Amino acid sequence: MPISVSHSESVNIQFEKSFSLEKVRSALDNFEGCKVIDERIDGGYSTPLEAEGKDETFISRIREDKTIKNGLNLWIVSDNLLRGAALNAVEIAETLIKNNFYGK
Amino acid sequence: MNIAIVGATGNVGRKTLEVLEKKELPFDNLYLVASSKSEGQKIIFKGKDHEVLNLENFDFSKVKIAFFAAGKKISEKFAEKAAKHCLVIDNSSFFRMDPDVPLIVPQVNSSHLDQIKKNIIANPNCSTAQLVIACKPLHDLFVIKRIVVSTYQSVSGGGKAPMDELIEQTKLVLDGKNVKSKNFTKQIAFNAIPHIDVFADDGYTKEELKMSKETKKNFR
């Protein structure tokens, strides 16, 4: 895409179990590294430009896929140089240090 | 404890420096390493000049952790050598599907970190990382059966040169001039290209296969 930074993903998920949108929303918003931006109004969603330079992965356009059983649609946006690369690598290092390198 | 960044002058290397500036990672010395092309270049980190060192003769026994951010070919050639002396955190795709190398997004599968066999840890593909971090809390609750994903990826995944080319092409188009693509298969300005990485025999591209395989490994 003619976009400098941040990748976007249109995601369709089918679950084994049934779900509620409220539980999806709160599970995503409470998960470390994720943030829900989903207002169902004009502009109530995240775009690549807004995700640039941010550590969080943003989840928008949360809605049920009524054409399949237990189906969900999402729009996921994140700074590809951070979560997809530099930030993730540094967080791996932090985890190693916190756990004394797992005895290595 | 000392750390090194291999590919410190590239897109991801410079971003790693930015992240380290903000985080409170406890280390003593930082070594910036790159190809001979960048040797001697000065980079400022936390107000201090750091000279870029040559990868060919860098001594990895000086560091505990080395971040590799210089692409697949450099990781293929140098990561295992480095891993004899330190832990390598590799951004490239080279080791991701190696069964002896954990593929980690800390919030998703840090439990895999006790299976470090080669002293190498892989970072997933950028599209995989953001997909799995959002899918993990949902998978824990509702168990994912199937995911269908379309990605709309920015040009920075290809490095600094494609980023510069997007701006150049955009200016040319606005000036009514002809565009000849250098880093893209087609014009990128005011366009969309349905292709990343090389084609496999079945019509998929490696980028697509990476996402599918890496997501499964991450959730294992």
Coordinates of all heavy atoms in Angstrom, one line a residue, chain B residues 194-200 202-210:
Chain B
P194 N -0.7 -6.5 -5.0 CA -1.2 -7.7 -4.2 C -0.1 -8.7 -4.1 O -0.4 -9.9 -4.4 CB -2.3 -8.1 -5.1 CG -1.9 -7.8 -6.5 CD -1.1 -6.5 -6.4
H195 N 1.1 -8.4 -3.7 CA 2.2 -9.3 -3.7 C 3.3 -8.8 -2.8 O 3.8 -7.7 -2.9 CB 2.6 -9.4 -5.2 CG 4.0 -10.0 -5.4 ND1 4.8 -9.6 -6.4 CD2 4.7 -10.9 -4.7 CE1 6.0 -10.2 -6.4 NE2 5.9 -11.1 -5.4
I196 N 3.8 -9.7 -1.9 CA 5.0 -9.5 -1.2 C 5.9 -10.8 -1.2 O 5.3 -11.9 -1.0 CB 4.7 -9.1 0.3 CG1 3.9 -7.8 0.4 CG2 6.0 -8.9 1.1 CD1 3.5 -7.5 1.8
D197 N 7.2 -10.7 -1.4 CA 8.1 -11.8 -1.4 C 7.9 -12.7 -2.7 O 7.1 -12.4 -3.5 CB 7.9 -12.6 -0.1 CG 9.3 -13.3 0.3 OD1 10.2 -13.4 -0.5 OD2 9.4 -13.6 1.5
V198 N 8.6 -13.8 -2.7 CA 8.7 -14.6 -4.0 C 7.5 -15.6 -4.1 O 7.0 -16.0 -3.1 CB 10.0 -15.3 -4.2 CG1 11.2 -14.4 -4.3 CG2 10.2 -16.3 -3.0
F199 N 7.1 -15.9 -5.3 CA 6.0 -16.8 -5.5 C 6.5 -18.3 -5.3 O 7.6 -18.7 -5.7 CB 5.5 -16.7 -6.9 CG 4.5 -15.6 -7.1 CD1 4.9 -14.3 -7.4 CD2 3.1 -15.8 -6.8 CE1 3.9 -13.2 -7.5 CE2 2.2 -14.8 -6.9 CZ 2.6 -13.5 -7.3
A200 N 5.6 -19.1 -4.7 CA 5.8 -20.5 -4.6 C 5.0 -21.2 -5.7 O 4.3 -20.5 -6.4 CB 5.3 -21.0 -3.2
D202 N 2.6 -23.2 -5.8 CA 1.1 -23.3 -5.7 C 0.4 -21.9 -5.9 O -0.8 -21.8 -5.7 CB 0.7 -23.9 -4.4 CG 1.2 -23.1 -3.2 OD1 1.8 -22.1 -3.4 OD2 1.1 -23.6 -2.1
G203 N 1.1 -20.8 -6.2 CA 0.5 -19.5 -6.4 C 0.5 -18.6 -5.2 O 0.3 -17.4 -5.4
Y204 N 0.8 -19.2 -4.1 CA 1.0 -18.3 -2.9 C 2.3 -17.7 -2.9 O 3.2 -18.1 -3.7 CB 0.8 -19.2 -1.6 CG -0.6 -19.5 -1.3 CD1 -1.2 -20.7 -1.9 CD2 -1.4 -18.7 -0.5 CE1 -2.5 -21.0 -1.6 CE2 -2.7 -19.0 -0.3 CZ -3.3 -20.1 -0.8 OH -4.6 -20.4 -0.6
T205 N 2.5 -16.6 -2.1 CA 3.8 -16.0 -2.0 C 4.4 -16.4 -0.6 O 3.6 -16.8 0.3 CB 3.8 -14.5 -2.1 OG1 3.2 -14.0 -0.9 CG2 3.1 -14.0 -3.3
K206 N 5.7 -16.3 -0.5 CA 6.4 -16.7 0.7 C 5.9 -16.0 1.9 O 5.8 -16.5 3.0 CB 7.9 -16.5 0.6 CG 8.7 -17.7 0.1 CD 10.1 -17.5 0.4 CE 10.9 -18.8 0.1 NZ 12.4 -18.5 0.2
E207 N 5.5 -14.7 1.7 CA 5.0 -13.9 2.8 C 3.7 -14.5 3.4 O 3.5 -14.6 4.6 CB 4.7 -12.5 2.3 CG 4.0 -11.5 3.3 CD 4.9 -10.9 4.3 OE1 6.2 -11.1 4.2 OE2 4.5 -10.2 5.2
E208 N 2.9 -15.0 2.5 CA 1.6 -15.6 2.9 C 1.8 -16.9 3.6 O 1.2 -17.2 4.6 CB 0.7 -15.8 1.6 CG 0.2 -14.5 1.0 CD -0.1 -14.6 -0.5 OE1 0.1 -15.6 -1.1 OE2 -0.5 -13.6 -1.0
L209 N 2.8 -17.7 3.1 CA 3.1 -19.0 3.7 C 3.7 -18.8 5.1 O 3.4 -19.5 6.1 CB 4.0 -19.8 2.9 CG 3.4 -20.2 1.5 CD1 4.5 -20.8 0.6 CD2 2.3 -21.1 1.6
K210 N 4.6 -17.7 5.2 CA 5.2 -17.4 6.5 C 4.2 -17.1 7.5 O 4.2 -17.6 8.6 CB 6.1 -16.1 6.3 CG 7.5 -16.4 5.9 CD 8.3 -15.1 6.0 CE 8.4 -14.4 4.6 NZ 9.2 -13.2 4.6

